Amino acid sequence: MSEKQRIVIPGDLVSDDEAQRGDGTYVHDGSVYASLYGILNKREKIRVVPLSGKYIPTRRDVVVGFVKEVTFSNWIVDIRSPYDGLLHVSEYPKRIELDEMSAHLKIGEAVLVEVKEVDPMMKIELTMRDRRLRAIRSGRIVEISPSKVPRLIGHGGSMISLIKSKTDCSIVVGQNGRVWINGKACDEALAVEAIDKIERESHIPGLTERLGKFFNMEEKSSETIPTHPELEEEDEDKKNDTDNASESKIEENDVVVGSEEDDDSGGTNIEDDVCDSKEESGEGGNIMDELLE
Amino acid sequence: MTKPEKFITNGIRIDGRKPEELRPIKIEVGILDRADGSCYIEHGLNKVFAAVYGPREVHPRHMQKPTTAIVRFRYNMASFSVEERKRPGPDRRSTEVSKVSREAVEPVIFTEQFPKSTIDIFVEVLQADAGTRTVGINAASVALADAGIPMRGLVSACAVGKVDGELVLDLMKEEDNYGDADMPLAMTQTGETTLLQMDGNLTPEEFEKAIEMAQEGCKEIYELQKNALIERYKKDIKTEEETMVENKTQEETNDEVKSE
């Protein structure tokens, strides 16, 4: 399996057929070369799946952003890329007056938005005019490297559905690597741990298998504990500490947003929609998956 | 440090190398957590860090270009990097080295993919022993790849000099200080020269020969850079496979205990 998985560096010759050029490659003198440091994916098109890199917005991406500034008619949103996103008042789900803007979205608030348009000058226009988009006022947000997003979603959304079902959380993965975890009876800590595991080990083959094992171990350990609620809680905490030394590191990046004020019933549907749109636009999940499994 | 009487005796240099031999090189990738990409190189007695940030927003704003990314390169020597304490901060030499180094790596970066942004490269010399600008360029190019920045290829650099009237590859401190010439060269993997400087004197014939030698040296360094990048992830995969085997055997023993 490791034979199949070839790591390439910028400038490596990957094909002599110009027609095969895909993402992460460039053409010089009729041959295709890698332009990124990453894992080679050879199919009908040759692409290089990067191991690192910043998020560069493209149209129809769903991202999690933070409001950075409120101007005359726009919210300026930090979308974790070199370029700021602009959310115009008219893109807010309902009609609001200009002087009431900061009453609806304050500075520092988290929003789930879609990239509406990217122009060649990298002016990023965002929109919230879709029923699955909204301000984020509950749950928590964790950050992963944007290059690991396809892995976290998995082949046809398999990886993310596994985490969702095991933790009872609703999880929205922004293409910019910000992940929103939310839900009433939701094991947030476990979800965060699983996501962290994926981030650390995404380039190592057999990830799905290992994640399955990880959840099994969690289940086993909670079974062995006598049915005493207090004890159980204590043990969980300890386990999290020892199992995952880097846990505390994520906590720093975590943003716990508000309390559970508007956890409306349509929650689960919305999340699924987001995942679907990702598969259409990127199909990035499949690639890494087939490569590595 | 005093000038050695002879640089080359019986075809062997004062540190035991042949004229066309590089110093030992160790390259490590991705060692700084806060940077987007990083690299640490030990090249002989040189110890050099490179950190890459970006593409990111340009500050100050007026430096940004509407159609491409800008590349900024800061070469800096630590005050303890040389025998006599160096006064910290930028000086005429480091400003020059920063400029030529930026021009050495900029041509391979696809800057047009990131308009209005900047790619910042920081090179810190912890210990200097001649040829730090070439080591800085080698480290920077690996750090750029590690940061996931699209490039046409890596850049490799090394120097050729003249001591005792003979051309030698990759000068060390004594050879640099008391030698007759020093000529650093950087090139892309396709063989295009992106940096060429010289101090001292070479005849036209020597110059031709020196360029050939430097190119051979660069090719050797390129292989080391490439290996460092590939090994970084190979290592992870290997250790993971090992722990998986361990886990399996452990599970088996657990099962055995249970069945008993």
Side-chain angles (χ1 to χ4, degrees):
Chain A
M1 185 157 62
S2 44
E3 299 298 310
K4 224 175 86 186
Q5 190 186 17
R6 185 176 149 205
I7 298 162
V8 292
I9 62 166
D12 277 357
L13 178 69
V14 291
S15 170
D16 295 320
D17 181 8
E18 201 176 319
Q20 285 186 299
R21 61 172 305 188
D23 291 348
T25 65
Y26 68 96
V27 175
H28 181 73
D29 276 350
S31 295
V32 185
Y33 298 87
S35 70
L36 288 171
Y37 170 41
I39 294 163
L40 189 67
N41 173 42
K42 263 190 184 176
R43 285 218 230 136
E44 66 277 20
K45 288 260 189 274
I46 290 182
R47 339 180 334 159
V48 178
V49 182
L51 292 161
S52 56
K54 284 278 165 76
Y55 168 66
I56 302 298
T58 47
R59 218 168 78 87
R60 294 183 37 78
D61 278 355
V62 172
V63 296
V64 176
F66 290 106
V67 177
K68 190 163 127 165
E69 215 180 310
V70 186
T71 62
F72 173 66
S73 60
N74 282 296
W75 287 280
I76 297 176
V77 184
D78 161 35
I79 50 168
R80 217 175 161 221
S81 103
Y83 312 103
D84 284 332
L86 289 177
L87 178 65
H88 193 255
V89 234
S90 60
E91 298 297 341
Y92 194 77
K94 58 183 179 195
R95 207 190 129 74
I96 51 176
E97 295 301 320
L98 289 179
D99 50 356
E100 286 172 4
M101 281 173 65
S102 49
H104 288 85
L105 283 179
K106 288 186 237 357
I107 288 173
E109 245 181 316
V111 280
L112 185 63
V113 289
E114 189 182 287
V115 179
K116 188 189 165 208
E117 202 66 69
V118 180
D119 79 355
M121 295 282 291
M122 293 314 264
K123 190 174 129 203
I124 314 295
E125 286 178 60
L126 304 171
T127 179
M128 275 176 84
R129 299 199 77 136
D130 191 307
R131 62 183 186 88
R132 61 190 188 182
L133 306 172
R134 78 232 344 249
I136 297 174
R137 299 207 166 95
S138 63
R140 71 158 110 173
I141 294 167
V142 290
E143 294 193 341
I144 63 167
S145 162
S147 57
K148 308 283 164 80
V149 165
R151 276 310 267 159
L152 178 57
I153 293 167
H155 184 56
S158 61
M159 191 73 82
I160 200 71
S161 344
L162 175 68
I163 303 175
K164 278 185 197 169
S165 66
K166 293 284 183 187
T167 61
D168 297 320
C169 294
S170 73
I171 301 173
V172 184
V173 186
Q175 289 293 299
N176 58 347
R178 286 203 184 113
V179 185
W180 176 33
I181 305 166
N182 190 31
K184 266 190 183 136
C186 152
D187 192 346
E188 281 180 8
L190 184 61
V192 171
E193 217 176 299
I195 290 167
D196 181 46
K197 191 177 168 66
I198 293 171
E199 156 137 63
R200 273 182 289 119
E201 302 175 8
S202 68
H203 56 286
I204 304 166
L207 181 64
T208 318
E209 194 188 314
R210 260 176 292 129
L211 201 72
K213 228 179 244 173
F214 166 77
F215 280 123
N216 284 340
M217 271 163 66
E218 291 289 328
E219 276 167 19
K220 252 187 224 165
S221 65
S222 51
E223 275 167 21
T224 50
I225 298 159
T227 45
H228 201 292
E230 283 162 30
L231 268 178
E232 199 170 329
E233 244 177 55
E234 250 178 54
D235 203 83
E236 274 293 302
D237 285 350
K238 253 185 238 157
K239 242 180 58 53
N240 288 345
D241 287 348
T242 48
D243 263 13
N244 198 342
S246 55
E247 248 259 321
S248 57
K249 211 179 100 195
I250 330 163
E251 299 283 3
E252 278 170 34
N253 296 333
D254 284 4
V255 186
V256 180
V257 210
S259 54
E260 310 238 336
E261 21 177 288
D262 64 344
D263 191 62
D264 53 330
S265 50
T268 38
N269 281 336
I270 287 155
E271 269 65 76
D272 290 336
D273 285 354
V274 174
C275 278
D276 289 343
S277 84
K278 222 124 295 152
E279 281 144 40
E280 285 160 28
S281 60
E283 68 135 13
N286 327 3
I287 280 134
M288 288 289 266
D289 232 66
E290 278 188 18
L291 248 158
L292 296 175
E293 296 314 320
Chain B
M1 193 169 57
T2 49
K3 184 181 175 177
E5 277 184 17
K6 254 183 121 189
F7 284 104
I8 301 174
T9 37
N10 301 329
I12 298 292
R13 292 202 254 166
I14 45 178
D15 58 354
R17 283 184 292 156
K18 293 187 206 85
E20 297 185 6
E21 196 177 330
L22 291 166
R23 289 173 282 183
I25 299 172
K26 192 180 96 185
I27 305 181
E28 280 177 61
V29 188
I31 26 138
L32 302 174
D33 283 346
R34 304 285 171 268
D36 294 316
S38 59
C39 174
Y40 172 65
I41 297 191
E42 283 181 18
H43 184 127
L45 294 174
N46 287 306
K47 292 181 179 174
V48 175
F49 266 107
V52 168
Y53 293 81
R56 63 180 182 182
E57 246 179 281
V58 190
H59 289 290
R61 270 285 162 72
H62 65 83
M63 283 178 79
Q64 84 180 18
K65 289 196 180 148
T67 54
T68 66
I70 60 167
V71 178
R72 294 187 289 197
F73 197 116
R74 178 173 173 269
Y75 165 98
N76 186 47
M77 282 175 103
S79 55
F80 50 80
S81 63
V82 277
E83 282 181 340
E84 188 102 359
R85 182 186 129 94
K86 181 197 170 286
R87 213 166 157 261
D91 51 28
R92 201 174 64 174
R93 193 187 90 93
S94 72
T95 312
E96 176 212 307
V97 176
S98 300
K99 178 188 178 284
V100 295
S101 302
R102 191 196 76 234
E103 289 170 353
V105 294
E106 204 174 3
V108 295
I109 304 172
F110 285 101
T111 48
E112 63 277 13
Q113 291 185 15
F114 307 106
K116 297 206 290 188
S117 67
T118 177
I119 295 163
D120 292 331
I121 306 164
F122 299 89
V123 165
E124 293 288 330
V125 179
L126 301 186
Q127 185 169 292
D129 191 74
T132 51
R133 76 189 66 193
T134 59
V135 182
I137 290 166
N138 293 332
S141 113
V142 174
L144 281 165
D146 181 44
I149 289 166
M151 294 194 285
R152 291 176 182 84
L154 297 182
V155 179
S156 313
C158 78
V160 171
K162 188 165 83 167
V163 290
D164 288 353
E166 198 176 323
L167 292 175
V168 288
L169 186 66
D170 192 20
L171 300 174
M172 40 96 70
K173 194 81 200 166
E174 281 83 359
E175 294 169 335
D176 185 32
N177 285 176
Y178 306 109
D180 309 321
D182 177 16
M183 188 192 79
L185 176 139
M187 69 173 206
T188 65
Q189 65 196 75
T190 47
E192 284 137 331
T193 304
T194 58
L195 172 138
L196 180 59
Q197 293 183 300
M198 183 167 86
D199 68 14
N201 303 301
L202 292 176
T203 65
E205 294 77 36
E206 280 171 339
F207 179 71
E208 297 278 337
K209 175 88 196 308
I211 288 199
E212 260 172 49
M213 278 172 73
Q215 285 175 339
E216 284 308 310
C218 287
K219 279 178 198 159
E220 245 175 85
I221 290 169
Y222 169 73
E223 291 302 323
L224 295 170
Q225 290 172 308
K226 182 175 176 166
N227 272 337
L229 283 166
I230 291 173
E231 283 308 314
R232 181 191 176 193
Y233 278 98
K234 281 259 176 74
K235 203 173 68 195
D236 279 9
I237 292 167
K238 234 180 251 164
T239 50
E240 184 53 40
E241 275 167 2
E242 275 161 24
T243 52
M244 270 180 73
V245 172
E246 265 170 40
N247 284 346
K248 249 179 206 157
T249 48
Q250 207 170 12
E251 260 170 41
E252 276 160 20
T253 48
N254 283 350
D255 288 346
E256 276 166 31
V257 172
K258 261 184 204 165
S259 61
E260 276 166 22

